Structures are given as structure tokens and as C-alpha cells.
Amino acid sequence: MRKTLLIARREYLAFVRTVGFWLSIVTAPLIFTLIIAVPMLIRTSAPVEVMNVAILDLTGADVEKPLRRLIERVAAPQEAQGRDAALQNAANAAFDKERIKLVPLPQGLDRSMTVAAAETRIPALLATPDAQATTIVVVSDDGDKLHFRIWSQPDQRKHLEDKLYWDLHGLQYMKVAGRNGIDPKVAEDMRAARAEIVSLTPADGAPGEEEDFLAAGLRDHGPRVVGIALGFLTWFTIFSSSMILLGGVIEEKASKVLEVLLASASTESLLIGKVLGVAAVLSTVGLIWGTAIFALVSQGASFMPPDIAQTLQHGLAGIFTPAYVVLLLTYFVGGYLMFGVTFAAIGAFCETQKDAQAIMGPLMIVLMVPMLCMQAAIGAPSAPIIQWLSWVPIFTPFLMPLRLSEPLPAWEIALTLGGMLAAAFIMIAIGRRAFKQGALTGGKLTWGAIARIATRKSNDA
Amino acid sequence: MAGDLALSLDGVSKAYGGFQAVHDLSFEVKKGTICGFLGPNGAGKTSTVRMILGLSQPSAGKITVLGGNGDRALDRIGFLPEERGLYRKMKAIDVIVFLAGLKGVKASVARRRAKEMLEAQGLGAFINSPIQSLSKGMSQKVQLISCLVHEPELVILDEPFSGLDPVNQQGLESIIRDLSKRGATVLFSTHVMQHAERLCQNVVMLTKGRKVFEGSLKQARAAAPRFLELEGTLSQADILALPGIKSATEAGLSEEGVALWHCELEAGRSAHEALKAAFLKNLDVRRFEAREPSLHDAFIVLTGAEHA
């Protein structure tokens, strides 16, 4: 054990004493933050864009009047009310940068002209550098249908349509209602009438309780989202740590240190020491990033309305129960042991990364299977393939975090854990032999050699 | 007496698939002695050393190291492998302390010893230098110190002189002698017979995985023929007619421009006998030299027949 810890300590210090390690600690989250923050910053720092809208009503039925009302309604973001009002208003202020201003018709357009005549003039009017109107709505009526032809400068194309799409259809609705002798008030009430539609799950409260969108969302989708996120995180962590182990062993093999180490410590001490050392490096990274994230989230939460912060806190506490965390860690440790030992054993046969590529190719294809499953799980979380593959021990560590988001029978958890730990035990036993053989020979690793190592009874090199 | 032995191999064989690397090898090394482990490339020396260290298991036979198995006695063994290497980015002293730690030496003790040994080897100024900044000779010294810092009872050196300049080779010879004086047992493999000749009490010679000799230097030399070198205007027939001469080979011309003959003596015959006959026959012998066989000659004879 003493030797194992010494080796782990050396591995750990070899990484954390490098400038590159601390640079990567800082740069990785920095780059991640920049990827998210820069587009947001560009969006929030963008100036408010004003759409100057002129209406050319050629219907003769004064459609302009209700149209003006509609445009005035969407001219600026409305003040939100209710539980999420503060959040909504802050989001509007940050991201909704479009304002609409109604302007008089430009010179050269009037209600007496035909649509064709108007539309021969509009392009030139919009192209004028100091054009007063940036969008011109030409409204006409063929007796059966209202036509809204929205001309705009290229950067405002479809902006007004997006904002008024259903309202413009509403004007057509009102026209048809009027033509059929329906009282406009009745028609408006009919158009505005909505049934109450509520989606419920067994976890929802009793009838009459106030619906909390955030709490319900966290409760219904939180575990699944967290499961998928943790599945990806497990994959990336195991993959990157295994690559660290592989690189470390390749370096030792190339610098001829492995034989000296094997003459001083058992293969088990060496292998487990390395795995522990890299695990300690990962823990350091996790601790630093975790603390930073916790601090940022705590700071962020202090800016949130207290009820939202409280809902978030309760929601996350409901997901990360102690049992859930313990199971996640167990699956992670099993996966890390399986793949870490395998990659270290491969490294023992290689003096360069290029040597490793030949054997890594098929292994990477195998590793991509759970990755593809996790991507599929975003759209179809209950896909049977995910359930089936979660029983394959080498995929269990990646897919079980997904499945744990749903209630699972204890026997299923126990069996997947047992299968994974048995596979880890076998892979460690084979990896130990392979590591020793690779460290002491100059031969290349082939799948045939792996089969021979796996089936050999003695533990000699 | 088994208690006097640092190392004992009894009928050890090692096969890698169909290839027999070591075949029925038996030899013993007494405690406190220096033993040369000699053999041409591919003789099975490294395979044997790895079995002694417990890095690989023999296919047959038994190995006893310091009274037990090699892998159980690792902390009492110092090993310098043929392919040397250290952590290139670590400081010299840190490497030594780390490897000493693996041998069970406390960090404080290892640090003190490492400092003393580095200074004794003229590396005092490089204690805190990373290995990658040291010359090849310097890093070899650091590796040797790493192998000795835990004061091992048995030291196994695989080709320890390769890559060292003559001055450092001499320094290494002194270290090996000091180890023996301290009571440690040294087993070292080498191709350079002069080192073995100067250092060893006993040698084990190996070729193609088989032991061809085990014994003292004197016994090894006795296995090789003695030679008589003659210079003069001589014919091969004249020389072969002399008593005790087994063969005669012309070895070029001397500085005076006369023929130089390299003559092999028959076993048990003396050069004196042949020379006396040559003078009685009034042969033109201008210079003669009786040469005792070296370990190199013994090595060629003992390993060459099977090596050829």
C-alpha cells in the first residue's frame, strides 16, 4: 500500500506541478464561458433596433385602424406580471432589442393607387439612404381575402410577420365574421376564447394548488436532463483521464523507466498507484471547478427572486439525493477502473502515441457506442436500446446515470453494478498481465496478443 | 551452505512460446562476492536477470534470492537495467528519493544519502537539476545512485559499463569494489571482459540460453589455449614440427619486415619446450613471446563454438 501511494503521489505531483495543468484549469472553463458569453454579450450589447412601419391601406374598409392597434401592442416588450415577472422583464431588457414605430406613409404613396403601382415605387423608397419607413405594409382586399404584403429592408425581412402572424389572420377572421353578419364583439370574443388545458403527472399537487412552472419542470424533466448531462460528463471524464494514463505510461515506456519501477514495486502497486494518481488529479480539477461553479451559482442565485432561487434549490436537492450520488460515484469508479487500467496496459506496449493508435481505433469505436446512445437519449430517453446496452458492463458506467433518472427496481441496479464490477475485476486482471508484458517487451500490441494474454494461465511476462 | 548464498538457480528454464530463452541453468553466487554474468547478445542474460528479480516466472526450475523469492526481496536488491531511463522532468535528487521510497527508505534518510552520493560522484552542483538537463554520463550516475541508495544486499547490474567513458568506467569499477567490501553481493553482466577480469572472483558464461562455464577466473582462463608468438624467417612446416605446437597462423609482418606467427600450444604443453627445440634446430627466431590466455580468449573459446 505504501508503494502504491508513493506512485500515486508521484503521478499526482508530476501533473499538478506543471504550468500546463494550471493553465488548462483556467483556460478550459474560460473558453467554455466565452463560448456561451460572447454571443450573449454581442446580443445584449447590440443597439435597440427600430422598425419604422408605414401602412398603405388599399382595402377601402379602413383595415389600417385595427392594424395600427395590433402594431402598437407589440411595439415594445410588455411589462411582465406574476411569479416570473422579474426574470421575464430582465430577459426582455437583455435580449428583446426590437422596437416598432409607426410612421407616416412616404411621399409618392397614397390610398388611391393600385397595389401594382404602389409596389413599383416601394423598392426605391426603401432603398433610399435616409428612408423614413423601413417597413411598408401594403394591405389590399380582393373581396374574399385580405392581402398583407410586407415590404422591408433586407435586415428586417419577416420581423413584422413573425410578430403579427396570428393577429393578421385574426383580421381575416373578423372580416369573414362581418361578412356573415356576426356581431364584431361576438366574433372577437369567439376568437379570443380559450379552453383551460393542463398537463399533469402523478407527481403534481392536488387540484386547486397553484401551478409552479419551474418546480414542475425541474421535477418532471430535471432528473432526465441531469442524467444525460452526467452520462456525458462521465464519458468525457473517463475518456480524458484514460488518455492521461495512456500518455503517462507511454512516456515512462519511452524513457525506459517502467522496468526500474517493476523491479521496485509489484505490477498491482504500479498500476493502481497510477490510476489513483490520475484520479487525484481529476479530483483536484473537480474540486477547483466545483468550487468555482458553486460560488458562481450561489452568487447568481442571490440575484434571482427568492422564490425562484428556492424552487431551484428544492428541485436540485430532490434530484441529487444521497443514494443517487452514491450510485453515480460507484458507476463512475467502476468505469474509471475498467478503462483506466485498459488504457494504461495499452500504453505499456507503446513508445509513441502513433504506436497506440493502431489498438486505440477499435476501442474508440466501442467507446463511441454509449456516446451515440446518450445523444439519442436526448430525443428518446426511454429507448429500449439504452436499457439493453446498460446491461453490457463496459457501457454500464455511461448509460446507468441516464437510467437512474427514472425509478428503477433495486435488483436491476444491483445486477448492473455486479456485472460492471465483475467486468472491472477481469479487465484489471488482464490489464495487469498486459501491462507487465508490455513494460518488459518491445513488441507491438495486437488483438491476437491481447487474446493470448487474456487466456494465459500463469502470470509471467 | 545455503546460508552463504546470495543467489541460487537450480535447473531454471524459460520459454517464450516456442522459443527457449534459457535452458536448464544452474549456478550459485556466494554472499559478498562479485560475479560476472557473461555471454554474447541473445544468450539469455536479461531473461535470467528478470527471473531473478521476479519480473517473470521461470518455465521450470527454482530460483532462490537472499533466501527467498526475488519478488519478495525486491527491497534488498539494487537493479540497474540494460535499458536505462529516468523521469526526464524530475530533479536528480527527487528521482533518487522516489525510487528509494519504493525500496522502503524514509524520504529524509534517502535525501541525505542521495545528496552525499551525488556529491561523491561529482554531481553536487546538479542535485536540483532535472534529468533532461544532465549529460548521458551524469544521468547514468544518477541511475546508479538510485540503484544503490537503499544499500542493497544484492546488486544486479545489466551491462553497467555501456555508454560510460573510460574515466567513468574506472569510477564504476571502484564503486563495485566498494560494494563488495561493504558486504554486498554483485552480479553484473558485461561484454567487456577486461572489466570482469579486473573485478570478478567468479564468472558464469552463457550462450544460447545454456551455461557453458561457471567458476573462478583462473578456471576460465585454463579452458582457453595458451599461445606462443614467434617473429622471424620461419616456415609453417618448421613451426608445426616444434613440440607442443598445435597450429600456426601467419599474423602479418613485424616492424622489421619479417613474418609474425601466432602459434597455439597443445593443452598441457609449455612454450619453453617449443622454444628450446627451435633454438636447437637453429631456426631464425628473432623475437618470441609466450602469452597466457585472457578471459576474452576463454570467452571466445567457451561461447564461440556454440555461437558460430
Side-chain angles (χ1 to χ4, degrees), chain A residues 87-164:
Chain A
L87 211 59
Q88 186 71 42
N89 289 332
N92 284 343
F95 299 108
D96 195 345
K97 299 286 183 179
E98 280 180 353
R99 302 287 184 273
I100 302 174
K101 188 180 165 191
L102 282 163
V103 294
L105 268 177
Q107 292 270 331
L109 296 177
D110 62 70
R111 290 183 169 199
S112 62
M113 58 201 331
T114 62
V115 173
E119 290 192 339
T120 53
R121 293 183 186 181
I122 288 172
L125 291 169
L126 288 173
T128 311
D130 55 349
Q132 261 197 315
T134 55
T135 295
I136 299 170
V137 185
V138 181
V139 191
S140 60
D141 186 355
D142 63 5
D144 183 41
K145 197 186 281 182
L146 286 174
H147 296 265
F148 298 95
R149 293 176 62 83
I150 306 170
W151 287 78
S152 61
Q153 290 179 338
D155 57 333
Q156 292 179 2
R157 183 187 175 90
K158 277 197 165 265
H159 286 197
L160 192 66
E161 182 185 335
D162 289 345
K163 284 182 180 289
L164 295 178

Side-chain angles (χ1 to χ4, degrees), chain B residues 216-288:
Chain B
S216 66
L217 284 179
K218 193 177 173 185
Q219 288 169 322
R221 287 194 198 102
R226 287 172 300 140
F227 291 93
L228 174 64
E229 286 183 351
L230 296 173
E231 197 179 305
T233 312
L234 300 162
S235 71
Q236 191 176 38
D238 288 340
I239 297 170
L240 288 173
L242 296 174
I245 299 293
K246 188 179 176 186
S247 67
T249 314
E250 193 171 354
L253 296 174
S254 70
E255 286 177 1
E256 286 76 31
V258 294
L260 187 67
W261 290 89
H262 190 64
C263 313
E264 184 183 336
L265 292 168
E266 289 171 356
R269 306 294 288 270
S270 73
H272 177 258
E273 201 180 342
L275 283 170
K276 190 177 171 185
F279 288 127
L280 285 173
K281 285 184 178 178
N282 210 17
L283 294 179
D284 178 26
V285 177
R286 298 184 194 177
R287 197 182 70 81
F288 62 87

Side-chain angles (χ1 to χ4, degrees), chain A residues 7 10-11 248-265 270 274 348 350-351 435 438-440, chain B residues 50 55 79-90 95-96 98-99 102 131 143 146:
Chain A
I7 291 161
R10 199 215 73 82
E11 284 293 314
V249 177
I250 287 175
E251 194 184 340
E252 284 178 349
K253 169 85 172 175
S255 59
K256 319 288 183 197
V257 187
L258 277 182
E259 193 172 355
V260 177
L261 296 176
L262 284 169
S264 305
L270 197 51
K274 286 181 167 303
C350 310
E351 291 196 5
F435 183 83
L440 296 176
Chain B
R50 285 178 174 173
L55 298 183
F79 172 54
L80 183 75
E82 184 182 4
E83 286 195 320
R84 286 185 266 287
L86 295 167
Y87 291 106
R88 290 170 50 76
K89 290 172 187 167
M90 279 178 88
V95 172
I96 299 169
F98 168 63
L99 291 173
L102 292 181
I131 297 295
Q143 181 135 27
S146 305

Side-chain angles (χ1 to χ4, degrees), chain A residues 153-433:
Chain A
Q153 290 179 338
D155 57 333
Q156 292 179 2
R157 183 187 175 90
K158 277 197 165 265
H159 286 197
L160 192 66
E161 182 185 335
D162 289 345
K163 284 182 180 289
L164 295 178
Y165 186 82
W166 291 110
D167 291 320
L168 296 179
H169 283 300
L171 292 179
Q172 171 69 17
Y173 179 94
M174 295 299 288
K175 173 183 159 63
V176 174
R179 197 169 61 201
N180 289 285
I182 299 170
D183 181 359
K185 173 77 176 70
V186 175
E188 180 59 36
D189 288 348
M190 285 169 70
R191 202 179 81 83
R194 295 285 183 272
E196 187 190 349
I197 303 166
V198 181
S199 297
L200 296 166
T201 67
D204 284 298
E209 281 186 14
E210 191 183 356
E211 178 69 10
D212 185 333
F213 177 76
L214 186 62
L218 271 173
R219 191 188 57 230
D220 292 345
H221 305 296
R224 190 168 298 153
V225 172
V226 167
I228 290 171
L230 288 175
F232 276 110
L233 188 67
T234 304
W235 192 93
F236 279 112
T237 312
I238 287 176
F239 178 72
S240 54
S241 55
S242 298
M243 291 306 286
I244 291 174
L245 270 169
L246 176 77
V249 177
I250 287 175
E251 194 184 340
E252 284 178 349
K253 169 85 172 175
S255 59
K256 319 288 183 197
V257 187
L258 277 182
E259 193 172 355
V260 177
L261 296 176
L262 284 169
S264 305
S266 67
T267 318
E268 290 81 0
S269 291
L270 197 51
L271 210 49
I272 295 171
K274 286 181 167 303
V275 168
L276 283 180
V278 175
V281 174
L282 282 180
S283 305
T284 305
V285 176
L287 196 69
I288 293 170
W289 286 355
T291 309
I293 290 167
F294 181 77
L296 285 172
V297 169
S298 304
Q299 197 66 17
S302 66
F303 288 107
M304 282 184 191
D307 52 342
I308 291 178
Q310 202 176 17
T311 306
L312 266 176
Q313 196 182 1
H314 285 161
L316 291 174
I319 295 167
F320 290 100
T321 59
Y324 183 63
V325 173
V326 167
L327 279 173
L328 281 178
L329 283 175
T330 312
Y331 284 117
F332 178 82
V333 168
Y336 175 64
L337 280 176
M338 276 195 284
F339 288 97
V341 169
T342 305
F343 277 56
I346 291 170
F349 283 85
C350 310
E351 291 196 5
T352 62
Q353 291 281 356
K354 198 176 172 187
D355 293 343
Q357 280 169 7
I359 198 74
M360 290 287 290
L363 195 62
M364 286 309 300
I365 292 170
V366 173
L367 263 174
M368 286 311 291
V369 172
M371 186 53 137
L372 294 172
C373 284
M374 284 185 284
Q375 284 174 353
I378 296 170
S382 306
I385 185 108
I386 292 167
Q387 290 178 32
W388 300 334
L389 286 180
S390 69
W391 284 95
V392 180
I394 56 169
F395 301 144
T396 302
F398 310 110
L399 298 179
M400 279 310 282
L402 261 76
R403 296 199 59 209
L404 286 174
S405 61
E406 304 287 338
L408 283 180
W411 64 267
E412 206 168 328
I413 293 172
L415 280 182
T416 52
L417 274 176
M420 183 191 69
L421 294 176
F425 182 77
I426 292 167
M427 285 172 86
I428 290 170
I430 297 170
R432 188 189 71 83
R433 284 188 216 166

